[in-house]
Amino acid sequence: MAKNKISLIGGGQIGGNLALLAAQKELGDVIIFDIPKAEGMVKGKALDLMQLRPHDGYDVTITGSSDYKDIADSDVIIITAGIPRKPGMDREDLLGINLGIMKDVAENVKKHAPNAFVIVISNPLDAMVYAFHKVSGFAKNKVVGMAGALDSGRFRAFIAMETGFSVQDVTCMVLGGHGDTMVPITRLATVGGVPVTALISSERLKAIEDRTRVAGGEIVKLFGNGSAFYAPAQSAIEMAESYLRDKKRVIPCASLCEGEFGVEGYFIGVPSVIGAGGVEKVLEFDLTSEEQAELNNTLEAVEKTIGETGL
Ligand code: TXD
């Protein structure tokens, strides 16, 4: 059986970790693609990863490239091309530069890998996934943004840190835009099925929600140059694996909503079923009036950023 092919457009901090994680899970052969001035970096990362394989025994190939022909017929494309934030920057400050990059990437992916399932990571995420969809013309089930998986993971981590219980048993979701207006659905968060509201005070839960919203900026500030990359990479690999292995995972993802949750024509973080058909379904459920108001608020932020793309 032919191996899957995963092409990473952008081989920087997240891209390098995507390659390692994809190899460790033997998801398929990996192409790490970057621009010519970064060709040495991605060829070096690929060679280093090829030399890591004997220690753990995974038989996949990892190749660095700056030639788009090498991504031909990829099954999965994961896009991190673009610049990350510096301290003091909002994700939206990246729009000008990263939009131009995303348009170029979208044209090339459309040309070389028209049947791929595309996971967009580049920020500002809600605008970048929208831009990729608009420029590439890919079907809506084949384009998804990675944000909610990361934001929900952060929320889960903070709840586990607060309670001391296993991260394995913390479930929750964060919906909406990938920005400070994101919407943690605390009402449905549980630890082993026990509502977190029975375990953590409302004051502490509010502090955890607030920290989740700004968790990306917290790391950007600590780094001083660049943003988070381990958890973002793992979050996207979770989505890629669900597609390649038809796992039907239900993951908060930036999926195109056409009426779901009252959202029309925008990519926004919603519970999404990911399987061999890509984004197979958006799972709707009744929100409280407060949650709906927060979702409407985050949608306004998304609409504003999308408006600035001119697409
Ligand atoms: O949850 C999320 N979606 C966010 C996304 C989580 C964390 C980081 N987020 C964003 O991902 C971040 O704000 C950036 O926009 C991207 C990538 O972050 P990363 O930390 O990986 O940035 P790097 O290390 O600068 O890597 C970006 C690579 C770099 O190697 C560039 O040479 C390359 O992108 N690049 C390109 N690749 C292909 N094609 C073009 N045109 C191109 N331009 C730059």
Side-chain angles (χ1 to χ4, degrees), residues 255-306:
S255 300
L256 181 61
C257 290
E258 293 180 322
E260 296 88 344
F261 294 99
V263 177
E264 187 59 53
Y266 292 101
F267 286 78
I268 199 162
V270 289
S272 305
V273 180
I274 297 187
V279 179
E280 297 182 351
K281 187 172 175 54
V282 170
L283 300 185
E284 282 194 276
F285 62 97
D286 291 338
L287 296 175
T288 64
S289 54
E290 186 184 16
E291 291 161 351
Q292 187 62 57
E294 284 187 53
L295 196 72
N296 295 343
N297 178 50
T298 192
L299 180 58
E300 278 179 30
V302 171
E303 288 171 341
K304 179 174 177 294
T305 306
I306 299 293

Side-chain angles (χ1 to χ4, degrees), residues 36-304:
K37 78 173 183 179
E39 183 180 23
M41 175 184 72
V42 293
K43 284 188 182 292
K45 285 186 178 183
L47 192 52
D48 191 2
L49 286 166
M50 287 292 276
Q51 294 162 14
L52 178 153
R53 293 176 309 147
H55 299 281
D56 238 359
Y58 19 89
D59 289 307
V60 292
T61 61
I62 305 105
T63 313
S65 171
S66 62
D67 182 345
Y68 262 115
K69 286 199 289 297
D70 290 330
I71 75 165
D73 304 322
S74 296
D75 299 288
V76 170
I77 298 267
I78 307 178
I79 303 171
T80 61
I83 62 166
R85 285 191 279 169
K86 292 180 172 55
M89 289 174 80
D90 287 327
R91 293 177 178 89
E92 288 67 28
D93 295 329
L94 305 174
L95 182 66
I97 293 176
N98 287 354
L99 179 59
I101 291 172
M102 189 56 69
K103 288 176 179 176
D104 173 61
V105 170
E107 291 294 353
N108 279 288
V109 169
K110 179 182 178 181
K111 179 180 175 186
H112 296 281
N115 301 313
F117 178 56
V118 178
I119 301 171
V120 176
I121 295 182
S122 309
N123 267 327
L125 186 273
D126 307 302
M128 291 298 103
V129 63
Y130 179 93
F132 181 91
H133 180 247
K134 279 285 183 192
V135 173
S136 69
F138 274 37
K140 70 174 188 177
N141 62 306
K142 299 299 282 293
V143 182
V144 70
M146 187 296 287
L150 171 65
D151 298 328
S152 302
R154 286 167 165 167
F155 192 21
R156 291 166 62 192
F158 293 144
I159 288 172
M161 289 152 72
E162 182 80 10
T163 58
F165 301 140
S166 169
V167 286
Q168 284 186 353
D169 299 317
V170 182
T171 57
C172 62
M173 69 177 92
V174 176
L175 305 182
H178 184 49
D180 296 353
T181 61
M182 64 179 78
V183 186
I185 307 292
T186 309
R187 169 173 63 95
L188 300 178
T190 74
V191 182
V194 177
V196 293
T197 49
L199 301 168
I200 303 171
S201 71
S202 54
E203 291 77 20
R204 286 299 304 148
L205 278 174
K206 169 107 177 43
I208 289 170
E209 290 168 359
D210 291 345
R211 189 179 181 188
T212 300
R213 289 192 181 94
V214 298
E218 180 181 0
I219 291 177
V220 167
K221 191 173 177 196
L222 286 167
F223 281 168
N225 178 23
S227 47
F229 47 87
Y230 294 122
Q234 181 64 49
S235 301
I237 287 296
E238 196 172 59
M239 296 161 66
E241 181 180 27
S242 193
Y243 172 75
L244 290 170
R245 292 178 174 156
D246 193 23
K247 291 173 75 72
K248 313 290 190 205
R249 294 286 309 274
V250 179
I251 302 173
C253 299
S255 300
L256 181 61
C257 290
E258 293 180 322
E260 296 88 344
F261 294 99
V263 177
E264 187 59 53
Y266 292 101
F267 286 78
I268 199 162
V270 289
S272 305
V273 180
I274 297 187
V279 179
E280 297 182 351
K281 187 172 175 54
V282 170
L283 300 185
E284 282 194 276
F285 62 97
D286 291 338
L287 296 175
T288 64
S289 54
E290 186 184 16
E291 291 161 351
Q292 187 62 57
E294 284 187 53
L295 196 72
N296 295 343
N297 178 50
T298 192
L299 180 58
E300 278 179 30
V302 171
E303 288 171 341
K304 179 174 177 294

